[in-house]
Amino acid sequence: MGEMDQMKKEAEGLKSQIEAARKAAADTTLADAASGVAPAPRVQLKTRKTLKGHLAKIYAMHWATDCRLMVSASQDGKLIIWDAFSGNKINAVPLKSSWVMTCAYAPSGNLVASGGLDNMCTVYNLKTPVVKTVKELDAHTGYLSCARFLSDTEILTASGDTTCALWDIETGKQKTVFLNHVGDCMCLALSPDMNMFISGACDSLAKLWDIRDGTCKQTFQGHTSDINAISFFPSGNAVVTGSDDCTCKMYDLRSDQEVISYQDAQLNSGVTSLALSVSGRLIFAGYDDFNCNIWDSLKGEKVGVLSGHDNRVSCTGVPQDGMCVCTGSWDSFLKIWN
Amino acid sequence: MSGSSNLVAMKKVVQQLRFEASINRVKVSQAAADLQQFCMQNALHDPLLTGVSSSTNPFRTQKLCSFL
């Protein structure tokens, strides 16, 4: 068809245009620009707490905004709410489906959510005398890989059905569906100002979305395999991704391109999770090889490692006050380090 | 007809590319300078960079001393 060929040609032309515009802006690399910066100190963190209680692989964890409580999800079919200061379990929420892949804590501390191979996002109220299911958000046609609360009334989800969605928790309906990825969506992260979010998918692309108008604003390429982890740099101007291609990358939103890659010839395990310290200088990346490597975000050098888990590190999280980093593993333990 | 749905899908791809091609891009040197500045400005308030003293570490089991 003539029209189809015409459009294919236009698409190719536009891709070349974008490529050229990115090259024109690439007057240096982040590592070169940061060559004058003093290296980050060698980071040696100790395990301060080992949280024991799950009976199977831990797949996800998320800090509460009070920087003290956190929720973890395991394929033993439970969400556990922990007091990380004491190491005590505050709550254990039994899940209808044990095939959980994600969990989230609402900023208010009132609600938590979980989801996985049941294709649903279930929201629970922690403040009722007994933990109660508030809503089962059921509309995705693929697994739920990630969920993040905007408030007690809105939550964002990423799914194996290649879409992300914004839900109204009260009505249980999707307000907005974000369509553009061509592979399973594996992770999402909210911008510090909560107006945008970023998603990573099995199509090896990261996409920036406007939450309110539902549109994809920017697309970032460079990875050669599934993007499993994603996070905003604390200024909101850049995004860090972790992939099955064994690298992490930082993309600057305003330059619209990759500015540095965090990789090592000896590292040949996929990245499962990542979290940044509050200044953005340190990147904690969990790998399939049981370690969590610490990278200097400006120079691209490895500055430390968290070793101690006996299986894959599946999730990593730094609380808002930056006082520690938590790692969760398939070995069923969570560790708090600082 | 799969032919026309392919056309619709392709139109969306082109529309998205047109949008993405139109944005203004800041030079990487400027972006890098800003990222650097943010890190520097916040370095002293980053407990994982500066270290946490045992007396103020909420995750360290406190050994309480009392005067008898």
Side-chain angles (χ1 to χ4, degrees), chain B residues 21-63:
Chain B
S22 69
I23 68 169
N24 284 322
R25 292 170 181 83
V26 163
K27 291 257 191 283
V28 173
S29 52
Q30 179 62 58
D34 292 345
L35 289 168
Q36 229 175 278
Q37 191 183 42
F38 187 90
C39 284
M40 299 297 113
Q41 276 173 347
N42 292 283
L44 291 176
H45 309 294
D46 187 339
L48 291 169
L49 265 184
T50 61
V52 185
S53 74
S54 19
S55 52
T56 55
N57 191 347
F59 302 101
R60 250 199 131 146
T61 332
Q62 300 303 345
K63 292 193 160 73

Side-chain angles (χ1 to χ4, degrees), chain A residues 10 27 219 254 277 279 338, chain B residues 18 20 29 34 46 57 59:
Chain A
E10 188 177 354
D27 56 349
T219 300
R254 298 174 315 151
S277 69
S279 68
N338 68 12
Chain B
R18 274 188 200 146
E20 290 183 15
S29 52
D34 292 345
D46 187 339
N57 191 347
F59 302 101

Side-chain angles (χ1 to χ4, degrees), chain A residues 1 30 41 49-50 93 109 142 172 195 251 254 268 289 308 324:
Chain A
M1 278 202 83
L30 177 54
K49 287 276 183 303
T50 297
V93 183
N195 292 325
Y251 296 92
R254 298 174 315 151
N268 42 27
D289 70 359
C324 69

Side-chain angles (χ1 to χ4, degrees), chain A residues 3-4 7-8 10-11 14 18 21 24-28 30 33-34 37 48-49 84-85 180 216-219 233-235 238 250 252 254-257 277-279 281 284 321-324 336 338, chain B residues 3 6-8 10-36 38-40 42-43 45-49 52 56-61:
Chain A
E3 201 180 344
M4 191 61 159
M7 286 201 293
K8 278 185 181 167
E10 188 177 354
L14 287 164
I18 292 171
D27 56 349
T28 184
L30 177 54
V37 174
R48 301 298 175 188
K49 287 276 183 303
F85 286 6
N180 212 272
C216 169
K217 296 299 183 196
Q218 285 173 259
T219 300
F233 184 83
S235 68
M250 185 185 295
D252 187 280
R254 298 174 315 151
S255 302
D256 186 46
Q257 60 189 282
S277 69
V278 293
S279 68
R281 188 67 193 267
F284 297 89
D321 63 3
M323 287 293 279
C324 69
I336 308 282
N338 68 12
Chain B
N6 279 348
L7 214 57
V8 169
M10 197 60 200
K11 275 197 172 126
K12 284 194 176 142
V13 168
V14 169
Q15 203 176 26
Q16 182 65 31
L17 284 170
R18 274 188 200 146
F19 179 79
E20 290 183 15
S22 69
I23 68 169
N24 284 322
R25 292 170 181 83
V26 163
K27 291 257 191 283
V28 173
S29 52
Q30 179 62 58
D34 292 345
L35 289 168
Q36 229 175 278
F38 187 90
C39 284
M40 299 297 113
N42 292 283
H45 309 294
D46 187 339
L48 291 169
L49 265 184
V52 185
T56 55
N57 191 347
F59 302 101
R60 250 199 131 146
T61 332

